[in-house]
Amino acid sequence: MSGQSLLVPGEQSPIRSVPGNIRRPEYVGKPAPTPYTGPEVQTPETVEAMRVAGRIAAQAMEEAAKIIAPGVTTDQLDKVAHEYMCDHGAYPSTLGYRGFPKSLCTSVNEVICHGIPDSTVLQDGDIVNLDVTAYIGGVHGDNNATYLVGDVDEESRLLVERTREALSRAIKAVKPGRQINIIGRVIESYAKRFGYGVVRDFTGHGINSSFHSGLIIPHYDSPHATTVMQPGMTFTIEPMLTLGTHEYDMWEDGWTVVTKDRRRTAQFEHTLVVTDDSADILTLP
């Protein structure tokens, strides 16, 4: 484990503007989104629109990741992703979602999820998760990945590699007719081989015209996740694995979630559609 100091909040830059011709999600400027009441199974037309949104989100994340290096601030990562999405006609879904002030989440080291980009400077040996969602064509595409900053210790590097593998295994478990809890069962059983914690209170989710539809995708073997997968269902899988406990604290900003023991954590995510026999990833660059 790296001996680096724990993260503290930095200074946030002013909220970035989005060109007026780009369509906003309905929740922008409101305290919360309108609850989704539509189906979890989407039409082929909606799925194809989500593929466009997912591709832009994936490419925006790739562009931001290109500049990850010691000395770069998380706000600089936000700027790159924001400009890429706007340049491609997409609205950054997180910007204004329940008051979130930035265009992606940057979660460094012990931050499980929802880190707010600010003046924090990435250090050699850090790991950082970028979580990017794009809204275009009336739908969202959501993905994230954890990246190494410079020379990272073996324990952290393996955590990142194995969290990516956990997502891959979970995607392979998606099949129509199976219950949602097979996803968490596969992730949890794999993570336990290495003694990793599996975050329970932050989950994957249904996604379509709504950023979060209400469908919950646990990353542990939940007896309550009995919804049966059907062709056309769209949702995210985004396991968060930790070197220690799965328990967490939240910063005063109401967003930044950190491991209670302050040990490191990694996450990977894709948006998927259930097909007739497996899953199709919608967030490919």
Side-chain angles (χ1 to χ4, degrees), residues 20-64:
N21 64 320
I22 292 178
R23 178 179 173 185
R24 273 72 170 152
E26 58 84 23
Y27 52 74
V28 174
K30 295 163 54 177
T34 302
Y36 179 71
T37 56
E40 297 298 346
V41 172
Q42 304 304 310
T43 65
E45 292 76 19
T46 297
V47 170
E48 288 312 303
M50 290 179 65
R51 197 184 304 278
V52 172
R55 183 179 302 121
I56 292 172
Q59 290 170 335
M61 185 172 71
E62 276 199 342
E63 287 302 305

Short mmCIF file of all heavy atoms in Angstrom, two decimals, residues 20-64:
data_model
loop_
_atom_site.label_atom_id
_atom_site.label_comp_id
_atom_site.label_asym_id
_atom_site.label_seq_id
_atom_site.Cartn_x
_atom_site.Cartn_y
_atom_site.Cartn_z
N GLY A 20 -25.86 26.68 -25.89
CA GLY A 20 -27.31 26.72 -25.77
C GLY A 20 -28.05 25.79 -26.70
O GLY A 20 -29.22 25.44 -26.46
N ASN A 21 -27.40 25.38 -27.81
CA ASN A 21 -28.09 24.51 -28.76
C ASN A 21 -28.07 23.04 -28.35
O ASN A 21 -28.68 22.20 -29.02
CB ASN A 21 -27.45 24.66 -30.15
CG ASN A 21 -26.01 24.18 -30.18
OD1 ASN A 21 -25.24 24.42 -29.25
ND2 ASN A 21 -25.63 23.52 -31.27
N ILE A 22 -27.38 22.71 -27.27
CA ILE A 22 -27.31 21.31 -26.82
C ILE A 22 -28.47 21.04 -25.86
O ILE A 22 -28.66 21.76 -24.88
CB ILE A 22 -25.96 21.02 -26.14
CG1 ILE A 22 -24.84 21.08 -27.19
CG2 ILE A 22 -25.97 19.66 -25.45
CD1 ILE A 22 -23.44 20.86 -26.64
N ARG A 23 -29.22 19.99 -26.17
CA ARG A 23 -30.39 19.64 -25.36
C ARG A 23 -29.99 19.22 -23.95
O ARG A 23 -29.08 18.43 -23.77
CB ARG A 23 -31.16 18.51 -26.06
CG ARG A 23 -32.38 18.00 -25.31
CD ARG A 23 -33.04 16.90 -26.12
NE ARG A 23 -34.12 16.26 -25.38
CZ ARG A 23 -34.80 15.20 -25.82
NH1 ARG A 23 -34.50 14.68 -27.01
NH2 ARG A 23 -35.76 14.67 -25.10
N ARG A 24 -30.68 19.78 -22.96
CA ARG A 24 -30.44 19.45 -21.57
C ARG A 24 -31.34 18.32 -21.09
O ARG A 24 -32.50 18.25 -21.52
CB ARG A 24 -30.74 20.66 -20.66
CG ARG A 24 -29.59 21.65 -20.45
CD ARG A 24 -29.29 22.49 -21.64
NE ARG A 24 -28.35 23.57 -21.25
CZ ARG A 24 -27.51 24.13 -22.08
NH1 ARG A 24 -27.46 23.74 -23.37
NH2 ARG A 24 -26.69 25.08 -21.68
N PRO A 25 -30.86 17.48 -20.17
CA PRO A 25 -31.78 16.55 -19.50
C PRO A 25 -32.80 17.34 -18.69
O PRO A 25 -32.54 18.47 -18.27
CB PRO A 25 -30.86 15.74 -18.58
CG PRO A 25 -29.48 15.97 -19.08
CD PRO A 25 -29.46 17.32 -19.71
N GLU A 26 -33.95 16.73 -18.42
CA GLU A 26 -35.03 17.47 -17.77
C GLU A 26 -34.70 17.90 -16.34
O GLU A 26 -35.30 18.84 -15.82
CB GLU A 26 -36.32 16.62 -17.77
CG GLU A 26 -36.21 15.26 -17.08
CD GLU A 26 -36.42 15.33 -15.58
OE1 GLU A 26 -37.03 16.28 -15.10
OE2 GLU A 26 -35.92 14.41 -14.89
N TYR A 27 -33.72 17.26 -15.71
CA TYR A 27 -33.43 17.58 -14.31
C TYR A 27 -32.53 18.80 -14.13
O TYR A 27 -32.36 19.28 -13.00
CB TYR A 27 -32.78 16.38 -13.62
CG TYR A 27 -31.58 15.80 -14.33
CD1 TYR A 27 -30.34 16.44 -14.31
CD2 TYR A 27 -31.67 14.59 -15.01
CE1 TYR A 27 -29.24 15.90 -14.97
CE2 TYR A 27 -30.58 14.05 -15.66
CZ TYR A 27 -29.37 14.70 -15.63
OH TYR A 27 -28.28 14.17 -16.28
N VAL A 28 -31.94 19.31 -15.19
CA VAL A 28 -31.03 20.46 -15.06
C VAL A 28 -31.80 21.67 -14.54
O VAL A 28 -32.86 22.01 -15.07
CB VAL A 28 -30.33 20.78 -16.39
CG1 VAL A 28 -29.51 22.06 -16.28
CG2 VAL A 28 -29.45 19.61 -16.81
N GLY A 29 -31.29 22.27 -13.48
CA GLY A 29 -31.95 23.41 -12.87
C GLY A 29 -33.00 23.04 -11.85
O GLY A 29 -33.64 23.91 -11.26
N LYS A 30 -33.18 21.73 -11.62
CA LYS A 30 -34.14 21.25 -10.62
C LYS A 30 -33.38 20.53 -9.50
O LYS A 30 -32.27 20.03 -9.72
CB LYS A 30 -35.13 20.28 -11.27
CG LYS A 30 -36.02 20.93 -12.33
CD LYS A 30 -36.70 19.91 -13.23
CE LYS A 30 -37.48 18.85 -12.48
NZ LYS A 30 -38.18 17.92 -13.41
N PRO A 31 -33.96 20.44 -8.31
CA PRO A 31 -33.26 19.76 -7.21
C PRO A 31 -33.12 18.27 -7.41
O PRO A 31 -32.20 17.65 -6.86
CB PRO A 31 -34.13 20.08 -5.98
CG PRO A 31 -35.46 20.48 -6.52
CD PRO A 31 -35.21 21.09 -7.86
N ALA A 32 -34.01 17.67 -8.20
CA ALA A 32 -33.97 16.22 -8.42
C ALA A 32 -34.67 15.89 -9.74
O ALA A 32 -35.51 16.66 -10.21
CB ALA A 32 -34.64 15.47 -7.27
N PRO A 33 -34.32 14.75 -10.33
CA PRO A 33 -35.00 14.37 -11.57
C PRO A 33 -36.42 13.91 -11.34
O PRO A 33 -36.78 13.49 -10.23
CB PRO A 33 -34.12 13.21 -12.08
CG PRO A 33 -33.49 12.64 -10.86
CD PRO A 33 -33.28 13.79 -9.93
N THR A 34 -37.23 14.00 -12.36
CA THR A 34 -38.57 13.43 -12.31
C THR A 34 -38.46 11.91 -12.27
O THR A 34 -37.73 11.33 -13.08
CB THR A 34 -39.38 13.85 -13.55
OG1 THR A 34 -39.43 15.28 -13.60
CG2 THR A 34 -40.78 13.28 -13.52
N PRO A 35 -39.12 11.23 -11.34
CA PRO A 35 -39.01 9.76 -11.27
C PRO A 35 -39.40 9.11 -12.59
O PRO A 35 -40.37 9.51 -13.24
CB PRO A 35 -39.98 9.39 -10.15
CG PRO A 35 -40.08 10.61 -9.30
CD PRO A 35 -39.96 11.77 -10.25
N TYR A 36 -38.63 8.10 -12.98
CA TYR A 36 -38.89 7.38 -14.23
C TYR A 36 -40.04 6.40 -14.05
O TYR A 36 -40.07 5.64 -13.07
CB TYR A 36 -37.63 6.63 -14.64
CG TYR A 36 -37.76 5.83 -15.91
CD1 TYR A 36 -37.85 6.44 -17.15
CD2 TYR A 36 -37.79 4.43 -15.88
CE1 TYR A 36 -37.96 5.72 -18.32
CE2 TYR A 36 -37.90 3.68 -17.05
CZ TYR A 36 -37.99 4.33 -18.27
OH TYR A 36 -38.09 3.60 -19.42
N THR A 37 -40.98 6.41 -14.96
CA THR A 37 -42.13 5.51 -14.87
C THR A 37 -42.26 4.63 -16.11
O THR A 37 -43.23 3.89 -16.26
CB THR A 37 -43.44 6.31 -14.70
OG1 THR A 37 -43.57 7.25 -15.78
CG2 THR A 37 -43.44 7.07 -13.38
N GLY A 38 -41.28 4.69 -17.01
CA GLY A 38 -41.34 3.92 -18.24
C GLY A 38 -40.82 2.50 -18.05
O GLY A 38 -40.47 2.07 -16.94
N PRO A 39 -40.74 1.75 -19.13
CA PRO A 39 -40.29 0.35 -19.06
C PRO A 39 -38.77 0.24 -18.94
O PRO A 39 -38.04 1.13 -19.35
CB PRO A 39 -40.77 -0.23 -20.39
CG PRO A 39 -40.72 0.95 -21.33
CD PRO A 39 -41.11 2.13 -20.51
N GLU A 40 -38.33 -0.89 -18.39
CA GLU A 40 -36.89 -1.19 -18.35
C GLU A 40 -36.43 -1.80 -19.68
O GLU A 40 -35.26 -1.72 -20.03
CB GLU A 40 -36.56 -2.14 -17.19
CG GLU A 40 -36.86 -1.59 -15.80
CD GLU A 40 -36.07 -0.35 -15.43
OE1 GLU A 40 -35.08 -0.02 -16.12
OE2 GLU A 40 -36.45 0.32 -14.44
N VAL A 41 -37.36 -2.40 -20.42
CA VAL A 41 -37.05 -2.92 -21.76
C VAL A 41 -37.23 -1.80 -22.77
O VAL A 41 -38.30 -1.18 -22.83
CB VAL A 41 -37.96 -4.12 -22.10
CG1 VAL A 41 -37.77 -4.54 -23.56
CG2 VAL A 41 -37.68 -5.29 -21.16
N GLN A 42 -36.19 -1.55 -23.55
CA GLN A 42 -36.19 -0.42 -24.47
C GLN A 42 -36.42 -0.87 -25.91
O GLN A 42 -36.13 -2.02 -26.27
CB GLN A 42 -34.86 0.34 -24.37
CG GLN A 42 -34.54 0.80 -22.97
CD GLN A 42 -35.63 1.67 -22.36
OE1 GLN A 42 -36.09 2.63 -22.99
NE2 GLN A 42 -36.05 1.34 -21.15
N THR A 43 -36.90 0.04 -26.74
CA THR A 43 -37.08 -0.25 -28.16
C THR A 43 -35.72 -0.31 -28.84
O THR A 43 -34.74 0.27 -28.35
CB THR A 43 -37.93 0.84 -28.84
OG1 THR A 43 -37.20 2.07 -28.80
CG2 THR A 43 -39.27 1.01 -28.13
N PRO A 44 -35.63 -0.98 -29.99
CA PRO A 44 -34.37 -0.98 -30.73
C PRO A 44 -33.88 0.43 -31.06
O PRO A 44 -32.68 0.69 -31.06
CB PRO A 44 -34.70 -1.77 -32.00
CG PRO A 44 -35.83 -2.67 -31.60
CD PRO A 44 -36.64 -1.88 -30.62
N GLU A 45 -34.81 1.36 -31.31
CA GLU A 45 -34.43 2.72 -31.63
C GLU A 45 -33.77 3.40 -30.42
O GLU A 45 -32.76 4.13 -30.56
CB GLU A 45 -35.66 3.53 -32.08
CG GLU A 45 -36.24 3.10 -33.41
CD GLU A 45 -37.06 1.80 -33.32
OE1 GLU A 45 -37.48 1.41 -32.21
OE2 GLU A 45 -37.27 1.18 -34.38
N THR A 46 -34.33 3.18 -29.25
CA THR A 46 -33.73 3.75 -28.03
C THR A 46 -32.36 3.15 -27.77
O THR A 46 -31.42 3.86 -27.40
CB THR A 46 -34.66 3.52 -26.82
OG1 THR A 46 -35.90 4.20 -27.04
CG2 THR A 46 -34.03 4.03 -25.53
N VAL A 47 -32.23 1.85 -27.97
CA VAL A 47 -30.94 1.19 -27.75
C VAL A 47 -29.88 1.77 -28.69
O VAL A 47 -28.74 2.03 -28.28
CB VAL A 47 -31.07 -0.33 -27.95
CG1 VAL A 47 -29.68 -1.00 -27.98
CG2 VAL A 47 -31.93 -0.94 -26.84
N GLU A 48 -30.25 2.01 -29.95
CA GLU A 48 -29.27 2.56 -30.88
C GLU A 48 -28.91 4.00 -30.52
O GLU A 48 -27.75 4.42 -30.67
CB GLU A 48 -29.79 2.47 -32.32
CG GLU A 48 -29.80 1.05 -32.85
CD GLU A 48 -28.49 0.32 -32.61
OE1 GLU A 48 -27.43 0.82 -33.04
OE2 GLU A 48 -28.51 -0.75 -31.96
N ALA A 49 -29.87 4.76 -30.02
CA ALA A 49 -29.57 6.11 -29.54
C ALA A 49 -28.63 6.05 -28.34
O ALA A 49 -27.69 6.86 -28.21
CB ALA A 49 -30.86 6.84 -29.17
N MET A 50 -28.83 5.08 -27.47
CA MET A 50 -27.95 4.89 -26.31
C MET A 50 -26.55 4.48 -26.74
O MET A 50 -25.56 4.84 -26.08
CB MET A 50 -28.53 3.85 -25.35
CG MET A 50 -29.78 4.33 -24.61
SD MET A 50 -30.45 3.07 -23.51
CE MET A 50 -29.12 2.92 -22.30
N ARG A 51 -26.45 3.76 -27.82
CA ARG A 51 -25.13 3.37 -28.33
C ARG A 51 -24.35 4.62 -28.77
O ARG A 51 -23.14 4.71 -28.56
CB ARG A 51 -25.27 2.39 -29.50
CG ARG A 51 -23.98 1.63 -29.82
CD ARG A 51 -24.15 0.75 -31.05
NE ARG A 51 -25.25 -0.18 -30.93
CZ ARG A 51 -25.17 -1.35 -30.28
NH1 ARG A 51 -24.05 -1.72 -29.70
NH2 ARG A 51 -26.22 -2.16 -30.23
N VAL A 52 -25.05 5.57 -29.37
CA VAL A 52 -24.41 6.83 -29.76
C VAL A 52 -23.95 7.59 -28.51
O VAL A 52 -22.80 8.06 -28.42
CB VAL A 52 -25.38 7.70 -30.59
CG1 VAL A 52 -24.79 9.09 -30.84
CG2 VAL A 52 -25.69 7.01 -31.91
N ALA A 53 -24.84 7.71 -27.53
CA ALA A 53 -24.48 8.41 -26.29
C ALA A 53 -23.33 7.69 -25.58
O ALA A 53 -22.40 8.33 -25.07
CB ALA A 53 -25.70 8.49 -25.37
N GLY A 54 -23.40 6.37 -25.56
CA GLY A 54 -22.36 5.58 -24.90
C GLY A 54 -21.01 5.73 -25.56
O GLY A 54 -19.97 5.80 -24.89
N ARG A 55 -21.01 5.80 -26.89
CA ARG A 55 -19.75 5.96 -27.62
C ARG A 55 -19.11 7.32 -27.30
O ARG A 55 -17.91 7.41 -27.06
CB ARG A 55 -19.99 5.82 -29.12
CG ARG A 55 -18.70 5.90 -29.96
CD ARG A 55 -19.00 5.75 -31.44
NE ARG A 55 -19.67 4.48 -31.71
CZ ARG A 55 -20.86 4.38 -32.28
NH1 ARG A 55 -21.53 5.46 -32.64
NH2 ARG A 55 -21.39 3.19 -32.50
N ILE A 56 -19.93 8.36 -27.25
CA ILE A 56 -19.40 9.69 -26.93
C ILE A 56 -18.86 9.70 -25.51
O ILE A 56 -17.78 10.26 -25.25
CB ILE A 56 -20.48 10.76 -27.14
CG1 ILE A 56 -20.80 10.89 -28.64
CG2 ILE A 56 -20.04 12.10 -26.56
CD1 ILE A 56 -21.99 11.79 -28.94
N ALA A 57 -19.57 9.09 -24.58
CA ALA A 57 -19.09 9.04 -23.19
C ALA A 57 -17.77 8.30 -23.09
O ALA A 57 -16.84 8.72 -22.38
CB ALA A 57 -20.14 8.38 -22.30
N ALA A 58 -17.68 7.18 -23.81
CA ALA A 58 -16.44 6.39 -23.78
C ALA A 58 -15.28 7.16 -24.40
O ALA A 58 -14.15 7.13 -23.89
CB ALA A 58 -16.66 5.06 -24.52
N GLN A 59 -15.54 7.86 -25.49
CA GLN A 59 -14.48 8.63 -26.14
C GLN A 59 -14.07 9.84 -25.30
O GLN A 59 -12.88 10.19 -25.23
CB GLN A 59 -14.94 9.06 -27.53
CG GLN A 59 -15.04 7.86 -28.49
CD GLN A 59 -15.71 8.20 -29.81
OE1 GLN A 59 -16.50 9.14 -29.89
NE2 GLN A 59 -15.41 7.43 -30.84
N ALA A 60 -15.02 10.46 -24.63
CA ALA A 60 -14.70 11.58 -23.75
C ALA A 60 -13.82 11.11 -22.60
O ALA A 60 -12.86 11.79 -22.21
CB ALA A 60 -15.98 12.23 -23.21
N MET A 61 -14.13 9.93 -22.06
CA MET A 61 -13.32 9.37 -20.99
C MET A 61 -11.91 9.06 -21.49
O MET A 61 -10.92 9.35 -20.80
CB MET A 61 -13.98 8.10 -20.43
CG MET A 61 -13.26 7.52 -19.22
SD MET A 61 -14.18 6.16 -18.45
CE MET A 61 -13.98 4.85 -19.68
N GLU A 62 -11.81 8.50 -22.68
CA GLU A 62 -10.49 8.21 -23.26
C GLU A 62 -9.67 9.49 -23.46
O GLU A 62 -8.46 9.50 -23.21
CB GLU A 62 -10.65 7.50 -24.61
CG GLU A 62 -10.85 6.01 -24.52
CD GLU A 62 -10.55 5.32 -25.85
OE1 GLU A 62 -10.52 6.01 -26.90
OE2 GLU A 62 -10.33 4.10 -25.82
N GLU A 63 -10.32 10.55 -23.93
CA GLU A 63 -9.61 11.81 -24.15
C GLU A 63 -9.08 12.37 -22.83
O GLU A 63 -7.94 12.84 -22.75
CB GLU A 63 -10.53 12.83 -24.83
CG GLU A 63 -10.79 12.54 -26.29
CD GLU A 63 -9.52 12.48 -27.12
OE1 GLU A 63 -8.74 13.46 -27.09
OE2 GLU A 63 -9.30 11.45 -27.79
N ALA A 64 -9.91 12.35 -21.80
CA ALA A 64 -9.45 12.82 -20.49
C ALA A 64 -8.32 11.96 -19.95
O ALA A 64 -7.34 12.47 -19.39
CB ALA A 64 -10.62 12.85 -19.51
#
